[in-house]
Amino acid sequence: MSLNQTYSERDQRVYLRSFNRYPVTAVSGQGSRFVDAEGNEYIDALAGIAVNALGHSHPRLVDALTAQAKSLMHVSNFVLTEPQLQLSERLVALSGMDRVFLTNSGAESVEACIKIARKAAHARGRGGTVLFAEGSFHGRTMATLAMGKPAYAQGFEPIPEGFRQVAFNDLEALRAAITDDVGALILEPIQGEGGVRPARPCYLRAAAELCQKEGIVLIFDEVQTGVGRTGAWFAKDRYDVQPDLMALAKGLGGGFPVGAALARESVAKAIVPGDHGSTFGGNPMACAAALTVLDVIEEEDLCREAHEKGRWLRRRIEKIGHPGIQRIRGKGLMLGLVCGFNTKPLAAAMLERGVLANSTAGNVLRFVPALNIPYADLEAIVEALADALEALEPATEPVKASAAAASGEA
């Protein structure tokens, strides 16, 4: 039995059975590559699901965490720390928002946004119902389950009330859904788990105008799209739309758990001391990591890199010319390869060829590598993809196109 298999069996005996893991145990990483327990090297085209914005073990990030650990790791939010203040000021300056609440994860950031939105909506005389888009994913907590696919909520009933689904990219459906009990709308500018489905610019701008007109709080979930991923600091900047609230996490810490809920003063003013809190949110270690990630992205111009490398990768994949590839969706280095078949076998075949990607929404292969991934590694990803497609061609399993795929969203 191989060492990877041995570790996998031990894991299956003790860890909650919540993941379908590949039989690979990562032990070290550098840049866009990691090594498993048997010494096999992989190109990481997933980057911890859009988390490792600077790749694995970036020396600046390692040094920052080491230095902070020697100084102060944790106190509590009863006192202020310099890293927390510096990160809050930096996020306000980068985003154009007014206030920050720091968290530990994307789901926490989204839940903080929901609480702020409801408090603000009630202050405006509106109800607390939150509209969310079909195909969205906002997390695995009970409230975020209520804003996702019904399959994810199955077996966990009763699901929290006060959430209602509307069609994505459909302005008329959104207008029809707005009643006095609706206080907020939450959208992903680009749906990640939903198959890398971008919002249409005209839809997102019109939705923002509608929310402003009706006094509805607009929330953007930028947990996956934020911090340079789409070729701009935030996807909202690609659309030129400013939400009332914005949730961040994933790439913000470059691999260290940290998230943030950013708010305009018009909604933030509804919150008073005692309304919300966190034990670990905004701890010095997380803030030091996030500050370093933001510094490196700015100094190395990684937003531009993500934009240019995303265009390059898109063109190279298009040149493969495989009949099973229907289209490529996304922005920057958040790309989804929409196929005419189930992409799980394709992801597995790429892993056998030394590339880690993942299948989402049934027929989409997702690429979200580090923002600083070298072109040589991008070329190797394309070569592995082409080889895997050729090897799987006789065995590809057709899938029924989703509503999103059928609509031709790109």
Side-chain angles (χ1 to χ4, degrees):
M1 183 182 294
S2 71
L3 190 55
N4 278 324
Q5 290 174 324
T6 299
Y7 280 143
S8 179
E9 289 194 2
R10 288 170 58 186
D11 172 64
Q12 291 174 30
R13 286 197 295 268
V14 295
Y15 202 86
L16 190 69
R17 295 180 181 178
S18 54
F19 302 115
N20 286 317
R21 303 189 204 263
Y22 290 119
V24 172
T25 299
V27 296
S28 65
Q30 192 68 47
S32 293
R33 299 182 176 229
F34 70 92
V35 177
D36 72 12
E38 297 172 21
N40 301 307
E41 189 176 59
Y42 304 83
I43 296 174
D44 193 352
L46 192 56
I49 316 181
V51 168
N52 301 327
L54 309 182
H56 296 278
S57 302
H58 192 285
R60 290 273 297 278
L61 187 54
V62 171
D63 289 347
L65 286 168
T66 301
Q68 188 60 54
K70 290 180 179 179
S71 174
L72 182 68
M73 293 179 67
H74 180 74
V75 277
S76 75
N77 281 305
F78 282 108
V79 296
L80 179 65
T81 66
E82 286 183 299
Q84 186 182 112
L85 175 60
Q86 291 165 358
L87 178 58
S88 298
E89 290 176 335
R90 188 74 174 278
L91 288 173
V92 164
L94 286 173
S95 67
M97 305 293 269
D98 299 308
R99 293 193 180 273
V100 177
F101 182 85
L102 295 169
T103 72
N104 308 286
S105 68
E108 284 182 62
S109 298
V110 170
E111 291 232 15
C113 287
I114 295 300
K115 287 183 70 176
I116 298 168
R118 281 182 165 168
K119 190 82 184 292
H122 294 326
R124 295 174 179 179
R126 299 197 67 92
T129 295
V130 178
L131 300 179
F132 66 95
E134 170 268 327
S136 62
F137 178 87
H138 299 289
R140 299 278 190 171
T141 61
M142 290 304 294
T144 53
L145 276 181
M147 300 184 292
K149 297 178 182 178
Y152 289 160
Q154 189 172 358
F156 298 105
E157 298 86 357
I159 301 301
E161 298 179 347
F163 301 93
R164 192 156 72 236
Q165 180 177 281
V166 294
F168 186 52
N169 274 332
D170 188 333
L171 187 61
E172 293 309 312
L174 178 59
R175 284 198 181 101
I178 293 177
T179 53
D180 289 342
D181 71 318
V182 172
L185 168 67
I186 183 168
L187 295 169
E188 298 165 90
I190 303 175
Q191 293 186 340
E193 297 297 320
V196 192
R197 297 167 61 197
R200 296 191 183 101
C202 59
Y203 167 76
L204 212 57
R205 290 167 191 152
E209 291 173 2
L210 183 60
C211 286
Q212 185 175 21
K213 176 184 176 183
E214 299 291 341
I216 292 170
V217 179
L218 177 61
I219 307 168
F220 277 3
D221 180 345
E222 292 229 32
V223 169
Q224 190 164 157
T225 57
V227 197
R229 173 58 51 191
T230 66
W233 275 113
F234 310 103
K236 73 179 181 65
D237 301 326
R238 296 289 306 263
Y239 287 93
D240 194 26
V241 176
Q242 187 78 335
D244 298 301
L245 289 158
M246 181 168 66
L248 301 176
K250 287 191 180 288
L252 181 59
F256 199 94
V258 59
L262 278 61
R264 284 181 168 185
E265 185 62 29
S266 57
V267 295
K269 66 183 181 182
I271 298 298
V272 299
D275 277 349
H276 198 49
S278 175
T279 297
F280 293 107
N283 69 79
M285 294 289 286
C287 293
L291 283 165
T292 302
V293 169
L294 297 178
D295 283 343
V296 173
I297 289 175
E298 185 171 50
E299 292 167 17
E300 298 185 6
D301 204 5
L302 294 185
C303 290
R304 179 184 58 82
E305 290 259 318
H307 175 68
E308 293 180 354
K309 288 175 178 176
R311 291 177 63 187
W312 185 92
L313 182 58
R314 183 190 293 263
R315 288 195 299 265
R316 284 290 290 112
I317 293 173
E318 288 171 348
K319 286 182 179 179
I320 293 175
H322 191 278
I325 299 176
Q326 297 178 340
R327 68 183 66 86
I328 304 171
R329 297 192 294 229
K331 297 179 185 293
L333 281 173
M334 182 178 178
L335 297 178
L337 183 63
V338 184
C339 299
F341 53 85
N342 189 307
T343 52
K344 284 187 177 180
L346 179 58
M350 289 192 69
L351 186 69
E352 293 174 357
R353 289 157 176 79
V355 174
L356 178 63
N358 90 304
S359 171
T360 186
N363 67 324
V364 179
L365 189 72
R366 175 170 48 176
F367 296 110
V368 281
L371 306 184
N372 56 1
I373 184 171
Y375 278 101
D377 283 354
L378 289 175
E379 181 64 39
I381 290 170
V382 175
E383 291 174 359
L385 172 62
D387 189 52
L389 283 166
E390 184 177 355
L392 287 174
E393 193 165 354
T396 51
E397 177 187 348
V399 294
K400 183 178 180 181
S402 66
S407 72
E409 291 164 4

